[in-house]
Amino acid sequence: MHVHLREPDSPEKETIKTGTQAAKAGGYSVVCAMPNVKPAPDCLENLKVQLDIIEQDSEVRVLPYGCITMGRMGKEPARYEELMPYVAGFSDDGSGIDDDDLMRECMTRIANSGGLIVTHCEKKPVLPGVGAESGNLCSEDFSETWRKVRMAEACEVERNIRLAKETGCRLHLCHISTKESIDLIRMAKAGGLQVTCETAPHYLVFDTSMKDASWDGRFKMNPPIGTPLDRSTLIEALRDGTIDVIATDHAPHTGAEKSRGFVDSLNGIIGLETAFPVMYTHFVRTGIITMERLVELMSLNARRILGIDIDSYVDVDLETPYVICPEQFRSKGRSCPFEGMEVMGRVVNR
């Protein structure tokens, strides 16, 4: 439900072809592409640029997201009616909509058209200019800024749930990473709201207790990795059904953009070719969740949310261990926090 394919404007990071080759290698038959591309898919004319490339180059089905606002600028609603037949839903990706009245208007219009709004729930603050290379990754200043960035997620989750309740809009919350957010989502679901959410494998496997000087650009993403309490809460939410989907937030960058150390590297890691083996190895083989639950999280629930009625199957070797090596990926991206990890669950015959 959450990938960045970068084309048409940044083919040096990823293309529709390489991104969908990576998806196929990871076992996916459908991926939903975020709208942080140029031209922004805020009208049919702009979206068609992306659709033409998808038709020509895609190796799996690609459902792009349309923008919530024109140009993802948070100023005026995008053209939902003309986009609706061609998109998975509507998102402004990492560009937050600060104006509550505008967000309310957008949600009302999307609700009236039967659409889905997909929000990242992240704010603009960035981590401070201290990094692992200078020995400051565990400093008090760094940790305090880290905490503020993470609290911004819960504030956005609360606001968007409140507006979804007012407008009756279906709301899907991206890459949830904090205990506070999970608590809010759990209450919303208990109240009968049409709210779903996702998290990603890296928030379930890593936490800040593991943070040290080895954390380079491979661990840099927004929202950042959470605390041990965040991680344990997310794992419990996998078990009790609060989390609906495991998504990847596959976000490739060039090697130069991810080799500047933890603080100065761009946000984003790749995940299409590692999501299933990492989840299977860490959560099914350890007995935390069942294989049936993993299939729900990685396939069935996303299809339900998106209204996709298709069947597809993938062959997976569940018994042979292998070591994750980004140089063997189909994706152009190489920045992966799971590099060197031994896992099981390699997709075969793809």
Side-chain angles (χ1 to χ4, degrees):
M1 284 192 72
H2 187 162
V3 303
H4 300 267
L5 297 181
R6 302 304 189 198
E7 207 171 15
D9 60 309
S10 299
E12 72 280 4
K13 299 173 186 273
E14 191 80 282
T15 63
I16 299 294
K17 189 173 186 65
T18 59
T20 56
Q21 285 176 339
K24 188 175 181 180
Y28 291 97
S29 59
V30 183
V31 293
C32 300
M34 283 293 166
N36 60 331
V37 293
K38 294 179 182 178
D42 52 14
C43 63
L44 185 54
E45 179 183 2
N46 287 350
L47 178 64
K48 192 175 185 303
V49 177
Q50 195 175 355
L51 292 176
D52 288 346
I53 302 172
I54 291 169
E55 182 177 4
Q56 176 178 318
D57 291 343
S58 177
E59 298 201 9
V60 301
R61 186 178 178 187
V62 177
L63 296 175
Y65 287 106
C67 299
I68 298 174
T69 63
M70 295 300 293
R72 299 174 43 245
M73 299 297 291
K75 301 296 183 183
E76 58 179 313
R79 299 174 186 171
Y80 308 130
E81 292 76 13
E82 60 187 68
L83 292 168
M84 183 68 70
Y86 306 97
V87 298
F90 298 94
S91 179
D92 268 4
D93 192 65
S95 301
I97 300 171
D98 294 330
D99 186 328
D100 284 10
D101 290 336
L102 175 62
M103 189 62 155
R104 184 181 292 105
E105 178 186 354
C106 294
M107 282 190 169
T108 299
R109 290 179 54 182
I110 291 170
N112 289 341
S113 61
L116 174 71
I117 198 163
V118 178
T119 60
H120 273 227
C121 296
E122 60 191 53
K123 288 284 193 181
K124 298 294 185 184
V126 296
L127 296 172
V130 292
E133 66 280 3
S134 62
N136 292 325
L137 187 58
C138 298
S139 70
E140 290 185 12
D141 287 345
F142 189 94
S143 297
E144 176 62 16
T145 303
W146 192 298
R147 186 190 67 81
K148 290 178 180 177
V149 171
R150 297 186 56 70
M151 287 304 298
E153 174 188 296
C155 292
E156 283 287 282
V157 166
E158 187 281 327
R159 192 281 302 263
N160 290 338
I161 288 175
R162 173 167 44 83
L163 293 180
K165 182 178 181 180
E166 289 182 28
T167 61
C169 188
R170 290 194 299 135
L171 173 66
H172 181 75
L173 299 160
C174 291
H175 48 39
I176 293 301
S177 66
T178 71
K179 177 186 183 301
E180 291 80 6
S181 295
I182 289 294
D183 290 343
L184 290 163
I185 293 164
R186 190 173 279 126
M187 286 190 292
K189 290 188 169 195
L193 299 185
Q194 298 184 84
V195 174
T196 57
C197 72
E198 67 188 46
T199 193
H202 41 278
Y203 300 118
L204 295 162
V205 173
F206 301 111
D207 63 54
T208 52
S209 70
M210 308 168 189
K211 175 163 53 73
D212 59 31
S214 69
W215 276 31
D216 54 18
R218 294 175 302 133
F219 292 86
K220 179 73 178 294
M221 74 284 294
N222 196 18
I225 298 297
T227 66
L229 179 58
D230 291 323
R231 185 165 74 98
S232 64
T233 302
L234 291 171
I235 291 171
E236 181 57 33
L238 288 186
R239 295 165 60 92
D240 70 16
T242 302
I243 291 174
D244 302 275
V245 172
I246 299 295
T248 65
D249 193 8
H250 177 85
H253 293 291
T254 66
E257 292 168 333
K258 294 296 288 183
S259 61
R260 303 170 184 164
F262 180 85
V263 171
D264 294 325
S265 291
L266 295 187
N267 282 311
I269 61 168
I270 55 175
L272 281 169
E273 295 169 76
T274 57
F276 179 82
V278 166
M279 290 300 302
Y280 173 72
T281 301
H282 284 268
F283 297 97
V284 176
R285 290 190 67 90
T286 57
I288 295 173
I289 60 173
T290 65
M291 177 66 92
E292 290 77 10
R293 176 63 176 146
L294 183 59
V295 172
E296 290 176 355
L297 288 161
M298 297 195 70
S299 179
L300 299 181
N301 287 348
R303 292 183 183 189
R304 171 180 55 81
I305 294 164
L306 297 168
I308 298 174
D309 185 19
I310 60 171
D311 287 324
S312 63
Y313 299 88
V314 61
D315 292 330
V316 183
D317 178 355
L318 297 177
E319 300 300 329
T320 306
Y322 73 98
V323 174
I324 292 174
C325 178
E327 293 305 314
Q328 298 175 357
F329 288 166
R330 307 287 181 86
S331 171
K332 285 189 176 185
R334 295 291 182 267
S335 185
C336 174
F338 305 111
E339 180 178 355
M341 181 179 289
E342 185 176 272
V343 293
M344 297 181 185
R346 188 197 295 269
V347 173
V348 297
N349 297 330
R350 295 286 283 176

